[in-house]
Amino acid sequence: MTSSDLRPTSAPLHGGPDAAGIPVFDFSTNSNACGPCPEALHAVQMADATRYPDPAYTALREALGAFHGVAPGRIVLAASASEFIHRITALAAQQGAVQVAVSPHSYGDYAQAAQVRGLDVLRGGGAAVGLQWACEPSSPLGLEDPAVRGWREGEVASVLRVLDCAYVPLWLDPDGAWTGAPSPRLPSACWQLWTPNKALGLTGVRAAYAVAPTGGEDAVQALTALAPSWPVGAHGVALLQAWTSPMVQQWLVHSLATLRDWKARQQALCTDLGWTEHAGSLANYFCVQPATATLQGDLAVLRASGIKLRDTTSFGLPGTVRLGVLPPDAQDALRAAWQALQGRTIPNRVLTGSGETS
């Protein structure tokens, strides 16, 4: 039996390590490339793995509640964002949902969680009878989600609405950039799902939490009842506790300036390569259409050379790749590998790590 025999035929696609191991230069994830955050890493390393966490997560929920300015009773802990996606979809189905609304291009787990429970998936948003998803900045394009505008303006809903906030702390556009605490601009009349591991550069630590909307205490109890015991282990608790620390938030805010410079340099590189960018990304990633007629084969060759890009076909964008922003040495490696693949020299007009070009 080979490793491919062990993989489900419908296995979802993800960025990051795969059967070939850890990529040397991994553009396929949206983790903060300035990380790991030293203080958060230290907290995880010091976690006491010889003990169960408090099964009620009392202190952690108090810390997260204070961070968001809400009562601890509005905080739900989750093993990961994906685990919460499946759990709240199960709750929606339990409450009689028949449809789930997702954006045209979005994280596949929203639809997958709905489909395994027999719920119809409405792409393009809309008023689903049951559950509505939004993500801002969106993935893979890094754009504002149109659905959130209506939620922010106070549209009344009788269904579950969830805003995936995975990339809110990695919003690079100065207008709306993360300042060390959740912004009042985020709609409060919906669930907010938070996964700090990306922002802190520690994606291997699986831990998440959600903030219930005002008056959502009954749903909190229902979601808690659907959870296994101890969904978050000691290392996840340490990560989420560190997330609320002013020192960790200071590091994150400082890292955004570096990511902006690296992003400008990487966008200039893509222009040099002749790749067409999907403009407008507000986050530490963006999508491009490489100048090639053999994208799948080219991606395989790049992967064999230690460079991984994220094919966005599963997001509904064939012929496109998503690039997480990486440091200049990774960008230079991508240039050299693509140059070798295409068998031609690509002028290097990128001069510095700050995005300057000749």
Side-chain angles (χ1 to χ4, degrees), residues 97-292:
V98 296
Q99 296 174 327
V100 173
V102 303
S103 300
H105 309 298
S106 58
Y107 184 41
D109 277 27
Y110 307 147
Q112 195 257 350
Q115 290 165 345
V116 298
R117 289 168 179 82
L119 306 183
D120 292 332
V121 177
L122 302 180
R123 296 196 177 274
V129 181
L131 178 61
Q132 298 176 1
W133 283 100
C135 180
E136 188 176 84
S138 64
S139 181
L141 293 171
L143 305 175
E144 292 186 85
D145 194 315
V148 178
R149 188 177 306 112
W151 298 4
R152 192 179 294 121
E153 291 170 355
E155 287 183 0
V156 178
S158 58
V159 300
L160 291 170
R161 285 176 168 172
V162 187
L163 174 61
D164 189 338
C165 299
Y167 305 112
V168 169
L170 292 167
W171 186 297
L172 300 186
D173 189 80
D175 183 16
W178 185 256
T179 61
S183 169
R185 69 181 291 277
L186 293 170
S188 58
C190 66
W191 285 84
Q192 295 178 9
L193 173 59
W194 294 86
T195 45
N197 57 358
K198 295 182 181 67
L200 301 180
L202 288 164
T203 52
V205 183
R206 307 296 288 164
Y209 66 95
V211 182
T214 303
E217 287 78 8
D218 287 346
V220 168
Q221 294 301 316
L223 282 168
T224 301
L226 287 172
S229 299
W230 298 288
V232 181
H235 298 92
V237 169
L239 177 76
L240 296 180
Q241 283 279 12
W243 168 244
T244 66
S245 160
M247 186 176 296
V248 167
Q249 289 299 324
Q250 183 179 18
W251 174 89
L252 172 57
V253 172
H254 180 75
S255 76
L256 299 183
T258 301
L259 290 173
R260 288 187 191 100
D261 287 345
W262 289 353
K263 181 179 180 180
R265 188 185 194 274
Q266 191 163 303
Q267 288 171 314
L269 165 62
C270 291
T271 298
D272 286 349
L273 299 181
W275 296 0
T276 303
E277 180 180 348
H278 289 259
S281 171
L282 303 164
N284 66 320
Y285 52 88
F286 56 94
C287 288
V288 295
Q289 291 179 282
T292 176

Side-chain angles (χ1 to χ4, degrees), residues 15-30:
D18 50 32
I22 300 173
V24 179
F25 298 110
D26 191 0
F27 291 87
S28 71
T29 78
N30 298 335

Side-chain angles (χ1 to χ4, degrees), residues 309-338:
L309 313 184
R310 178 65 159 92
D311 178 8
T312 59
T313 300
S314 65
F315 288 101
L317 288 172
T320 300
V321 295
R322 188 190 66 197
L323 296 172
V325 170
L326 291 189
D329 63 331
Q331 298 176 24
D332 293 343
L334 174 59
R335 172 189 291 277
W338 189 259

